[in-house]
Amino acid sequence: MRDIITIRIYFEYGQKIKNQSFWKKMYASDFSTELIKRAKAFGLEQVLHLNVSKGYLNNQKVNWGISEIRHSKHPHLIEIVDSEIKINQFLDEQKAFLQDTKVVMVKDEVLIK
């Protein structure tokens, strides 16, 4: 059986993608969409963008997701599930992209069939 782990990547709604041209900044995907695309291209088993209705990161003030327009500091969360080896390879490859995020291993998973 594979050793399955779950990691969570925490970031702010206004997270910028660094080293992009002017046009990419204008028309490219946001940070979460770009991260999901990269994870899919890497072949990770499961990636979810979880909706955060309220919360805070880094001991900042609480952000409430009650309006249609999100505050740039509003917390967001991507959860990735796959083998520990594959996730570590992905994290190593995306180190520069993920430098302004917080990555946390949540738990070990057991597959029961």
Side-chain angles (χ1 to χ4, degrees):
M1 181 178 354
R2 295 181 2 196
D3 293 324
I4 300 295
I5 65 166
T6 302
I7 64 164
R8 289 187 169 180
I9 301 172
Y10 298 93
F11 58 97
E12 295 175 343
Y13 177 75
Q15 180 84 22
K16 303 291 184 202
I17 301 172
K18 296 184 178 177
N19 302 323
Q20 283 189 316
S21 69
F22 171 78
W23 294 109
K24 283 251 186 191
K25 286 179 186 175
M26 291 293 290
Y27 297 109
S29 303
D30 62 2
F31 185 83
S32 62
T33 303
E34 182 63 27
L35 181 55
I36 291 170
K37 287 179 181 178
R38 290 178 183 208
K40 181 69 173 170
F42 194 80
L44 293 174
E45 184 176 318
Q46 177 176 308
V47 179
L48 299 172
H49 181 188
L50 302 173
N51 184 20
V52 176
S53 60
K54 56 188 154 275
Y56 64 91
L57 297 171
N58 302 321
N59 207 20
Q60 298 170 343
K61 69 177 192 149
V62 175
N63 284 286
W64 303 86
I66 56 175
S67 69
E68 292 179 10
I69 300 172
R70 300 263 187 221
H71 190 277
S72 65
K73 300 288 186 191
H74 190 76
H76 276 248
L77 168 59
I78 298 283
E79 184 177 85
I80 300 175
V81 177
D82 209 317
S83 70
E84 186 171 4
I85 293 169
K86 198 161 185 182
I87 287 177
N88 284 330
Q89 289 171 344
F90 177 73
L91 293 175
D92 284 343
E93 184 178 291
Q94 300 299 325
K95 192 177 289 186
F97 185 71
L98 297 171
Q99 71 184 14
D100 293 331
T101 65
K102 183 180 235 179
V103 179
V104 177
M105 184 185 339
V106 179
K107 57 189 171 193
D108 289 338
E109 296 287 337
V110 177
L111 294 177
I112 301 174
K113 294 188 180 192

